[in-house]
mmCIF file of all heavy atoms in Angstrom:
data_model
loop_
_atom_site.group_PDB
_atom_site.id
_atom_site.type_symbol
_atom_site.label_atom_id
_atom_site.label_comp_id
_atom_site.label_asym_id
_atom_site.label_seq_id
_atom_site.Cartn_x
_atom_site.Cartn_y
_atom_site.Cartn_z
ATOM 1 N N LEU B 150 102.162 118.681 109.498
ATOM 2 C CA LEU B 150 100.910 117.944 109.658
ATOM 3 C C LEU B 150 100.150 118.424 110.886
ATOM 4 O O LEU B 150 98.918 118.520 110.867
ATOM 5 C CB LEU B 150 101.195 116.443 109.754
ATOM 6 C CG LEU B 150 99.990 115.511 109.628
ATOM 7 C CD1 LEU B 150 99.215 115.780 108.338
ATOM 8 C CD2 LEU B 150 100.441 114.052 109.680
ATOM 9 N N GLU B 151 100.863 118.773 111.930
ATOM 10 C CA GLU B 151 100.201 119.322 113.112
ATOM 11 C C GLU B 151 99.558 120.674 112.799
ATOM 12 O O GLU B 151 98.476 120.992 113.307
ATOM 13 C CB GLU B 151 101.206 119.436 114.255
ATOM 14 C CG GLU B 151 101.582 118.072 114.849
ATOM 15 C CD GLU B 151 102.775 118.123 115.772
ATOM 16 O OE1 GLU B 151 103.389 119.223 115.892
ATOM 17 O OE2 GLU B 151 103.115 117.087 116.368
ATOM 18 N N THR B 152 100.201 121.470 111.938
ATOM 19 C CA THR B 152 99.600 122.739 111.514
ATOM 20 C C THR B 152 98.305 122.492 110.759
ATOM 21 O O THR B 152 97.282 123.156 111.007
ATOM 22 C CB THR B 152 100.579 123.522 110.621
ATOM 23 O OG1 THR B 152 101.740 123.867 111.379
ATOM 24 C CG2 THR B 152 99.930 124.800 110.087
ATOM 25 N N LEU B 153 98.312 121.521 109.859
ATOM 26 C CA LEU B 153 97.100 121.209 109.102
ATOM 27 C C LEU B 153 96.027 120.616 110.007
ATOM 28 O O LEU B 153 94.828 120.873 109.800
ATOM 29 C CB LEU B 153 97.414 120.247 107.956
ATOM 30 C CG LEU B 153 98.249 120.816 106.813
ATOM 31 C CD1 LEU B 153 98.405 119.767 105.712
ATOM 32 C CD2 LEU B 153 97.631 122.081 106.246
ATOM 33 N N LEU B 154 96.432 119.864 110.985
ATOM 34 C CA LEU B 154 95.462 119.312 111.930
ATOM 35 C C LEU B 154 94.764 120.441 112.687
ATOM 36 O O LEU B 154 93.545 120.393 112.913
ATOM 37 C CB LEU B 154 96.165 118.366 112.903
ATOM 38 C CG LEU B 154 95.278 117.549 113.837
ATOM 39 C CD1 LEU B 154 94.299 116.683 113.061
ATOM 40 C CD2 LEU B 154 96.135 116.684 114.761
ATOM 41 N N ALA B 155 95.522 121.482 113.039
ATOM 42 C CA ALA B 155 94.917 122.637 113.705
ATOM 43 C C ALA B 155 93.942 123.352 112.777
ATOM 44 O O ALA B 155 92.855 123.786 113.199
ATOM 45 C CB ALA B 155 96.009 123.596 114.172
ATOM 46 N N LEU B 156 94.283 123.468 111.491
ATOM 47 C CA LEU B 156 93.376 124.078 110.524
ATOM 48 C C LEU B 156 92.129 123.212 110.333
ATOM 49 O O LEU B 156 91.031 123.735 110.118
ATOM 50 C CB LEU B 156 94.095 124.295 109.196
ATOM 51 C CG LEU B 156 95.227 125.336 109.221
ATOM 52 C CD1 LEU B 156 96.024 125.301 107.923
ATOM 53 C CD2 LEU B 156 94.673 126.732 109.466
ATOM 54 N N ARG B 157 92.305 121.917 110.423
ATOM 55 C CA ARG B 157 91.154 121.019 110.365
ATOM 56 C C ARG B 157 90.230 121.255 111.562
ATOM 57 O O ARG B 157 89.000 121.281 111.420
ATOM 58 C CB ARG B 157 91.638 119.566 110.339
ATOM 59 C CG ARG B 157 90.543 118.507 110.300
ATOM 60 C CD ARG B 157 91.179 117.126 110.183
ATOM 61 N NE ARG B 157 90.180 116.079 110.161
ATOM 62 C CZ ARG B 157 89.800 115.373 111.219
ATOM 63 N NH1 ARG B 157 90.362 115.620 112.396
ATOM 64 N NH2 ARG B 157 88.890 114.437 111.119
ATOM 65 N N GLU B 158 90.826 121.445 112.713
ATOM 66 C CA GLU B 158 90.025 121.694 113.909
ATOM 67 C C GLU B 158 89.308 123.037 113.833
ATOM 68 O O GLU B 158 88.266 123.233 114.467
ATOM 69 C CB GLU B 158 90.914 121.604 115.153
ATOM 70 C CG GLU B 158 91.396 120.180 115.422
ATOM 71 C CD GLU B 158 92.468 120.091 116.492
ATOM 72 O OE1 GLU B 158 92.931 121.161 116.963
ATOM 73 O OE2 GLU B 158 92.868 118.964 116.839
ATOM 74 N N GLU B 159 89.823 123.959 113.028
ATOM 75 C CA GLU B 159 89.142 125.236 112.791
ATOM 76 C C GLU B 159 87.947 125.079 111.850
ATOM 77 O O GLU B 159 87.181 126.026 111.652
ATOM 78 C CB GLU B 159 90.108 126.258 112.185
ATOM 79 C CG GLU B 159 91.161 126.787 113.141
ATOM 80 C CD GLU B 159 92.047 127.832 112.479
ATOM 81 O OE1 GLU B 159 91.555 128.526 111.554
ATOM 82 O OE2 GLU B 159 93.212 127.965 112.877
ATOM 83 N N GLY B 160 87.831 123.906 111.239
ATOM 84 C CA GLY B 160 86.724 123.662 110.325
ATOM 85 C C GLY B 160 87.022 123.969 108.876
ATOM 86 O O GLY B 160 86.115 123.957 108.033
ATOM 87 N N LEU B 161 88.298 124.212 108.551
ATOM 88 C CA LEU B 161 88.663 124.582 107.184
ATOM 89 C C LEU B 161 88.937 123.361 106.298
ATOM 90 O O LEU B 161 88.969 123.481 105.078
ATOM 91 C CB LEU B 161 89.895 125.490 107.196
ATOM 92 C CG LEU B 161 89.770 126.781 108.008
ATOM 93 C CD1 LEU B 161 91.047 127.593 107.905
ATOM 94 C CD2 LEU B 161 88.566 127.591 107.556
ATOM 95 N N ILE B 162 89.147 122.210 106.923
ATOM 96 C CA ILE B 162 89.512 120.982 106.219
ATOM 97 C C ILE B 162 88.687 119.834 106.786
ATOM 98 O O ILE B 162 88.496 119.735 108.003
ATOM 99 C CB ILE B 162 91.014 120.665 106.409
ATOM 100 C CG1 ILE B 162 91.894 121.809 105.884
ATOM 101 C CG2 ILE B 162 91.387 119.346 105.730
ATOM 102 C CD1 ILE B 162 93.363 121.680 106.276
ATOM 103 N N ARG B 163 88.232 118.965 105.897
ATOM 104 C CA ARG B 163 87.468 117.792 106.342
ATOM 105 C C ARG B 163 88.388 116.604 106.623
ATOM 106 O O ARG B 163 88.297 115.977 107.673
ATOM 107 C CB ARG B 163 86.436 117.428 105.277
ATOM 108 C CG ARG B 163 85.496 116.290 105.680
ATOM 109 C CD ARG B 163 84.331 116.222 104.710
ATOM 110 N NE ARG B 163 83.337 115.223 105.063
ATOM 111 C CZ ARG B 163 82.136 115.143 104.518
ATOM 112 N NH1 ARG B 163 81.771 116.015 103.594
ATOM 113 N NH2 ARG B 163 81.285 114.209 104.888
ATOM 114 N N HIS B 164 89.241 116.270 105.655
ATOM 115 C CA HIS B 164 90.152 115.131 105.809
ATOM 116 C C HIS B 164 91.555 115.532 105.394
ATOM 117 O O HIS B 164 91.743 116.423 104.556
ATOM 118 C CB HIS B 164 89.704 113.950 104.950
ATOM 119 C CG HIS B 164 88.413 113.330 105.377
ATOM 120 N ND1 HIS B 164 88.238 112.732 106.606
ATOM 121 C CD2 HIS B 164 87.231 113.209 104.722
ATOM 122 C CE1 HIS B 164 86.995 112.264 106.700
ATOM 123 N NE2 HIS B 164 86.371 112.557 105.570
ATOM 124 N N LEU B 165 92.529 114.812 105.939
ATOM 125 C CA LEU B 165 93.932 115.054 105.625
ATOM 126 C C LEU B 165 94.537 113.846 104.920
ATOM 127 O O LEU B 165 94.209 112.700 105.225
ATOM 128 C CB LEU B 165 94.733 115.328 106.901
ATOM 129 C CG LEU B 165 94.363 116.593 107.682
ATOM 130 C CD1 LEU B 165 95.129 116.639 108.989
ATOM 131 C CD2 LEU B 165 94.648 117.836 106.848
ATOM 132 N N GLY B 166 95.438 114.133 103.979
ATOM 133 C CA GLY B 166 96.218 113.100 103.334
ATOM 134 C C GLY B 166 97.672 113.525 103.297
ATOM 135 O O GLY B 166 98.025 114.629 103.725
ATOM 136 N N VAL B 167 98.531 112.642 102.790
ATOM 137 C CA VAL B 167 99.950 112.968 102.649
ATOM 138 C C VAL B 167 100.396 112.594 101.248
ATOM 139 O O VAL B 167 99.846 111.685 100.620
ATOM 140 C CB VAL B 167 100.821 112.247 103.702
ATOM 141 C CG1 VAL B 167 100.585 112.838 105.083
ATOM 142 C CG2 VAL B 167 100.546 110.736 103.716
ATOM 143 N N SER B 168 101.405 113.303 100.751
ATOM 144 C CA SER B 168 101.867 113.089 99.390
ATOM 145 C C SER B 168 103.384 113.160 99.322
ATOM 146 O O SER B 168 104.011 113.980 100.006
ATOM 147 C CB SER B 168 101.266 114.145 98.452
ATOM 148 O OG SER B 168 101.767 114.018 97.142
ATOM 149 N N ASN B 169 103.957 112.302 98.471
ATOM 150 C CA ASN B 169 105.400 112.248 98.282
ATOM 151 C C ASN B 169 106.099 111.873 99.584
ATOM 152 O O ASN B 169 107.067 112.508 99.990
ATOM 153 C CB ASN B 169 105.939 113.575 97.751
ATOM 154 C CG ASN B 169 107.143 113.384 96.851
ATOM 155 O OD1 ASN B 169 107.185 112.445 96.056
ATOM 156 N ND2 ASN B 169 108.118 114.259 96.959
ATOM 157 N N VAL B 170 105.602 110.813 100.213
ATOM 158 C CA VAL B 170 106.128 110.394 101.509
ATOM 159 C C VAL B 170 106.725 108.996 101.424
ATOM 160 O O VAL B 170 106.370 108.190 100.569
ATOM 161 C CB VAL B 170 105.033 110.410 102.591
ATOM 162 C CG1 VAL B 170 104.553 111.837 102.844
ATOM 163 C CG2 VAL B 170 103.862 109.501 102.222
ATOM 164 N N THR B 171 107.609 108.714 102.359
ATOM 165 C CA THR B 171 108.172 107.375 102.510
ATOM 166 C C THR B 171 107.260 106.539 103.394
ATOM 167 O O THR B 171 106.341 107.064 104.048
ATOM 168 C CB THR B 171 109.557 107.442 103.153
ATOM 169 O OG1 THR B 171 109.409 107.950 104.492
ATOM 170 C CG2 THR B 171 110.494 108.361 102.359
ATOM 171 N N ALA B 172 107.533 105.247 103.446
ATOM 172 C CA ALA B 172 106.759 104.370 104.327
ATOM 173 C C ALA B 172 106.918 104.795 105.779
ATOM 174 O O ALA B 172 105.949 104.756 106.559
ATOM 175 C CB ALA B 172 107.212 102.918 104.136
ATOM 176 N N ALA B 173 108.125 105.211 106.161
ATOM 177 C CA ALA B 173 108.347 105.654 107.535
ATOM 178 C C ALA B 173 107.554 106.927 107.835
ATOM 179 O O ALA B 173 106.992 107.079 108.929
ATOM 180 C CB ALA B 173 109.840 105.882 107.775
#
Side-chain angles (χ1 to χ4, degrees):
L150 192 55
E151 287 168 355
T152 296
L153 291 183
L154 188 58
L156 293 170
R157 179 176 179 263
E158 291 170 354
E159 288 182 29
L161 303 181
I162 301 169
R163 185 167 184 167
H164 293 298
L165 296 174
V167 289
S168 176
N169 212 39
V170 295
T171 65

